[in-house]
Amino acid sequence: LGSIPPLARPLINPADPQCAKAYVLHDWCLAEWGSQRQIEAAGVLHQALRALGDAGWRRNLKIAAVIAAIDSW
């Protein structure tokens, strides 16, 4: 469901049902807003993961992977 940056794929399940809505929302934000607003989309992802109850360490790992992958795919 989610498009996970390559460096994080071994650690993050893109089909995690708990986080699927957040992944889809993030990908939608990127599609709608474009690459100039990638940091803002990462913030939306963080907020959505938090609202869905994703653990803090796991949420931060996902956000770090998304930010590290900016402009690399």
Side-chain angles (χ1 to χ4, degrees):
L1 290 171
S3 51
I4 305 298
L7 66 107
R9 287 182 189 152
L11 303 172
I12 299 171
N13 177 6
D16 180 352
Q18 178 184 358
C19 300
K21 290 179 183 179
Y23 297 160
V24 171
L25 176 60
H26 175 257
D27 289 351
W28 178 85
C29 288
L30 290 175
E32 287 294 310
W33 297 345
S35 62
Q36 287 82 18
R37 294 176 68 185
Q38 290 179 352
I39 296 292
E40 190 174 350
V44 170
L45 174 62
H46 186 273
Q47 292 174 9
L49 289 169
R50 186 175 189 170
L52 292 170
D54 198 26
W57 69 268
R58 190 174 23 236
R59 181 174 63 244
N60 291 333
L61 173 66
K62 292 170 185 175
I63 299 306
V66 164
I67 291 172
I70 288 176
D71 297 329
S72 67
W73 27 329

